[in-house]
Amino acid sequence: MTLTIDRRQLLAGMAATVAFSSIGLGRANAATSMRFLWWGSKERTDRTLAAIKAYQGKNADVSIAGESFGWDNYWTRLATQTAGGNAPDLIQMDYRYIFEYARRGTLLDFTPYMGKSLAIDDFGAPNIDSGKVDGKLYGVNLGVNSSMAAVNTVAWAEAGVEPMHDGMTWDQFAEACAKVTAAGKRRGFYGSQDASGVEPSFECWLRQRGKALYTNDGKLAFEAKDAADWFAFWGHMRDIKACVPADVQALDQLTIETNMIALRKAAVCFAHSNQFIAIQGLGKEKLDIFAYPNPGPGGKPGQYLKPSMLMSVSATSANKDAAVAFVNYLVEDPDGTKALGVERGVPASSKIRGLLTPDLDAASKQVVDYIGRLTPQVGALPPSPPNGAGENAFLLKKIAEEVAFGKTSAQDAGTKFVEQAAANVTRG
């Protein structure tokens, strides 16, 4: 079976499993065979396949088979495989889930490999510690990342509106987006996506208000009024036609391919900075990248730097040493890191960052520049979300859509979200 991934599959909500073997990538009779599971766009898949091919070119006795899914299906599939005793050797891991998987004993502790086959000392302590759980290293940082606003500068300029810039307030952002829509230069086109169901956007909003998603002991760190205010703000955005209406936003299945810029429905979308490259790759019009709007003078920093994702190895892998060697290749070897580029974030290794930057394409250089501009303004990395928190990202989207479609008020939705989100983390 060969890789079969196309836009139609992705637009179908990533329901179709994208699975492929290593046929064509390595030797059929390789002595060491491993499986690698990741989520992401076609851009990520192409880069990952290139890295695997390059690695197998140097290691003829290793065969790596890959499986790629959309974000939502990925975690269901990983949980199913892990519970069934069929976990992949190599696991793309998210900061949100690493505590859950590590504490269940499903991930390999990298600590004994440090300074040996895993040579990541030049990451610096913060970037190494971002993969630790209870003092042990279960994830290797694949790239430094933050949330961002991506802007279609061509569509924005057509509207004759002053360009977006770092430091805009939420009120200024709303007014500008409404002007883009009102300009009517494109049919069915709006200033912004509706981000009311986007958890990183909600988290940024909370942090700007001195709140957070979760406390250090795994409880909700916000109140119903905070969520109600968030839903009300986006209700205002819809009222003034600054963002897309509910039926359009519902097309977004939390994949890059279905965001409002990719679907040509809006000039602004919110995503993670490493996703900028893939979003730019889906269209020909030039995009730019900016920090989130802020609450104005005296507001707190909402954004922070985080590992865009991590690499983990299954605790039950029969090829632990080989898997660690491949992880090291992805983050410290010039060929491996060049294949991945900065699609998974800006490399944590200063050596690799210096190696890659001169040869980066324009979009990748925009990401590196953005992280550099943002770094002096960010807050601290928040505590890892507790068990059960993964369900809350989907719960936020569900309840935000109920508000947008007029099925409930912002106030009632705030109460409902807090009650159900608290129950999810209590249940774990």
Side-chain angles (χ1 to χ4, degrees), residues 135-300:
K136 296 182 179 180
L137 185 64
Y138 293 100
V140 174
N141 190 322
L142 278 174
V144 179
N145 194 24
S146 189
S147 49
M148 60 133 195
V151 183
N152 181 329
T153 58
V154 177
W156 196 276
E158 284 177 357
V161 180
E162 180 182 356
M164 272 195 72
H165 55 83
D166 293 342
M168 290 182 78
T169 67
W170 284 104
D171 288 341
Q172 290 169 338
F173 172 71
E175 181 181 358
C177 288
K179 288 180 179 177
V180 172
T181 306
K185 297 297 183 181
R186 301 185 181 198
R187 184 178 181 183
F189 193 81
Y190 296 81
S192 174
Q193 77 163 103
D194 178 347
S196 57
V198 179
E199 190 186 58
S201 301
F202 178 52
E203 181 184 33
C204 184
W205 167 275
L206 290 173
R207 287 168 61 93
Q208 290 173 346
R209 299 159 70 104
K211 304 290 181 67
L213 284 175
Y214 302 103
T215 62
N216 289 331
D217 60 352
K219 305 288 178 32
L220 294 190
F222 61 93
E223 300 171 353
K225 183 178 185 308
D226 299 308
D229 288 349
W230 173 247
F231 293 134
F233 171 79
W234 286 100
H236 170 65
M237 290 283 286
R238 290 188 292 273
D239 289 344
I240 64 174
K241 301 188 186 305
C243 71
V244 299
D247 60 330
V248 176
Q249 185 58 46
L251 299 173
D252 188 340
Q253 298 303 306
L254 301 180
T255 66
I256 290 172
E257 290 78 6
T258 58
N259 78 56
M260 292 297 103
I261 284 184
L263 296 182
R264 301 181 181 181
K265 300 294 184 182
V268 175
C269 75
F270 296 96
H272 295 297
S273 57
N274 64 294
Q275 295 174 316
F276 179 78
I277 297 165
I279 296 171
Q280 178 64 83
L282 291 173
K284 295 181 179 178
E285 294 183 323
K286 179 174 172 52
L287 308 182
D288 210 342
I289 178 171
F290 298 101
Y292 265 73
N294 63 64
K300 299 179 183 298

Side-chain angles (χ1 to χ4, degrees), residues 297-315:
K300 299 179 183 298
Q303 295 185 241
Y304 56 88
L305 301 180
K306 61 167 284 190
S308 61
M309 56 202 73
L310 304 137
M311 276 299 300
S312 295
V313 169
S314 169

Side-chain angles (χ1 to χ4, degrees), residues 4 36 67 71 98 106 120-121 124 140 172 184 209 228 231-232 238 336 367 381 385 389 396 420:
T4 54
F36 181 5
E67 298 172 66
W71 168 264
I98 192 169
T106 61
I120 60 172
D121 292 346
V140 174
Q172 290 169 338
R209 299 159 70 104
F231 293 134
R238 290 188 292 273
V367 175
L381 184 70
L396 178 67
Q420 295 187 10

Side-chain angles (χ1 to χ4, degrees), residues 75-89:
W75 297 104
T76 301
R77 183 56 62 100
L78 178 61
T80 301
Q81 292 187 2
T82 301
N86 187 36
D89 302 271

